[in-house]
Amino acid sequence: MHFLDINKTDPTDLRAMIDQARAMKVARQGQSKGMVDADQPLAGKMVALVFEKPSTRTRVSFDVGIRQMGGQSIVLSGTEMQLGHGETIADTARVLSRYVDLIMIRTFEESTLLELADHASVPVINGLTNRTHPCQIMADILTYEEHRGPIAGKKVVWTGDGNNVCASFLHAAGQFGFDLTFTGPPTLDPDPVFVAEARAKGATIEIERDAAKAVAGADLVVTDTWVSMHDPQSTRERRHNQLRPYRVDAALMAHAAPDALFMHCLPAHREEEVTSQVMDGPQSVIFDEAENRLHAQKAILRWCLGV
């Protein structure tokens, strides 16, 4: 089974993945990180990790997770693959499917992911596209619930840019039953299609331009970088001017619920979208969140392979 987006996966399966991720994390406590999981569910399995976009957390967490479960991985960069250049994506999918048991791809265009999945005869995992980032949000749900219990019915506030991570949070709101408030400039609003879909599934989705009002009573406050590594300087300056009122600092967090958590998928630009005081403060769970990419993705891999 493919894991392409949270909104394309049955809520029962999503819940099972979160629960299994937590169980696997608990089972490994106190062990060396290099030890193989006792049941070795990926023994004999080969996984291709395809990176058109570079990554630290995605590459390491998938690679380590595969090894911990007894499998093997082969990492392929965009320069090695040149997807769609010289060979069609469809043909690449067919060829890779003859060599490996699963493909994880981190790419730019959603169309690349979808074409690969359409023509692969093995499961495909969305490691990130410009449109969504489902693996990250599965880790975020896991992180919230291990600190505060069920996320259903809670208020999540996204502040800043309605980007691909925000899009997957909207998907998750509809699937896991929490509410989400977006606060940011109108030029960077999330995709209205995703907003409408979450609302149709019963989630309360609000857009509030005043960051303090948006964060009032929040159970979880989330932000992300304001600029991509590929953005030109002119774009960086324009985004900074638009997004400065939405920086997460101690004053903004004071409007949230007393036990509210703060998340950021990293890497962060300290003192830009969030202050170090918040990142290193008692409400921040950013490094638990980073670790949980490993555990959540292990559960996703197992679900895709049925092991």
Side-chain angles (χ1 to χ4, degrees):
M1 290 181 286
H2 299 317
F3 184 76
L4 302 181
D5 271 316
I6 288 173
N7 66 332
K8 296 177 180 177
T9 309
D10 187 272
T12 303
D13 290 335
L14 294 169
R15 170 50 55 194
M17 284 183 249
I18 295 294
D19 292 344
Q20 184 172 62
R22 189 167 186 177
M24 287 191 293
K25 180 177 182 178
V26 170
R28 287 193 63 85
Q29 287 178 351
Q31 296 186 43
S32 166
K33 296 176 180 63
M35 289 185 67
V36 176
D37 291 354
D39 56 348
Q40 298 188 46
L42 263 63
K45 302 293 186 183
M46 177 64 72
V47 178
L49 304 177
V50 180
F51 291 92
E52 283 202 301
K53 264 190 173 182
S55 166
T56 300
R57 272 152 295 279
T58 299
R59 176 168 178 167
V60 175
S61 57
F62 265 109
D63 200 2
V64 170
I66 291 161
R67 292 168 189 248
Q68 286 181 353
M69 293 192 291
Q72 298 183 65
S73 64
I74 178 169
V75 179
L76 300 164
S77 70
T79 54
E80 292 169 317
M81 296 291 293
Q82 294 187 332
L83 283 170
H85 301 282
E87 181 176 64
T88 67
I89 295 168
D91 285 351
T92 297
R94 294 183 182 105
V95 170
L96 281 179
S97 297
R98 299 297 182 102
Y99 300 144
V100 303
D101 299 286
L102 183 146
I103 303 166
M104 188 288 303
I105 183 168
R106 180 179 170 96
T107 188
F108 293 91
E109 299 303 323
E110 183 185 46
S111 59
T112 301
L113 167 75
L114 297 179
E115 186 173 356
L116 190 76
D118 282 344
H119 295 278
S121 57
V122 298
V124 173
I125 293 175
N126 176 3
L128 173 142
T129 70
N130 288 346
R131 193 163 171 80
T132 58
H133 195 1
C135 290
Q136 178 63 57
I137 274 52
M138 292 294 283
D140 292 354
I141 301 296
L142 173 62
T143 305
Y144 183 87
E145 293 196 341
E146 69 182 2
H147 283 273
R148 295 289 185 265
I151 197 168
K154 300 299 184 181
K155 178 182 178 180
V156 176
V157 176
W158 179 277
T159 175
D161 178 8
N163 63 10
N164 53 352
V165 186
C166 179
S168 287
F169 251 115
L170 284 164
H171 288 165
Q175 300 289 64
F176 286 94
F178 60 86
D179 300 326
L180 188 142
T181 298
F182 170 82
T183 185
T187 52
L188 296 175
D189 275 352
D191 190 322
V193 171
F194 296 154
V195 171
E197 182 181 24
R199 286 173 174 162
K201 291 183 177 180
T204 298
I205 309 298
E206 297 182 352
I207 295 179
E208 171 57 63
R209 303 301 174 199
D210 185 307
K213 289 181 181 178
V215 171
D219 299 293
L220 171 63
V221 178
V222 192
T223 194
D224 196 2
T225 54
W226 290 348
V227 293
S228 165
M229 67 181 75
H230 305 287
D231 288 335
Q233 185 61 34
S234 58
T235 299
R236 291 170 180 264
E237 292 173 0
R238 184 171 66 253
R239 280 178 170 258
H240 279 209
N241 291 335
Q242 292 181 83
L243 289 164
R244 198 163 287 115
Y246 302 98
R247 182 178 74 160
V248 181
D249 56 19
L252 185 62
M253 287 298 296
H255 293 279
D259 64 345
L261 298 178
F262 169 76
M263 291 188 194
H264 188 306
C265 66
L266 302 178
H269 296 90
R270 288 174 177 258
E271 315 312 328
E272 291 186 12
E273 69 269 11
V274 58
T275 63
S276 291
Q277 183 181 10
V278 171
M279 285 186 68
D280 300 327
Q283 292 172 292
S284 174
V285 290
I286 58 173
F287 296 112
D288 290 342
E289 182 186 5
E291 177 190 342
N292 282 340
R293 287 289 301 277
L294 169 67
H295 307 296
Q297 288 163 185
K298 286 170 70 174
I300 293 167
L301 284 160
R302 294 188 68 165
W303 177 80
C304 287
L305 290 166
V307 294

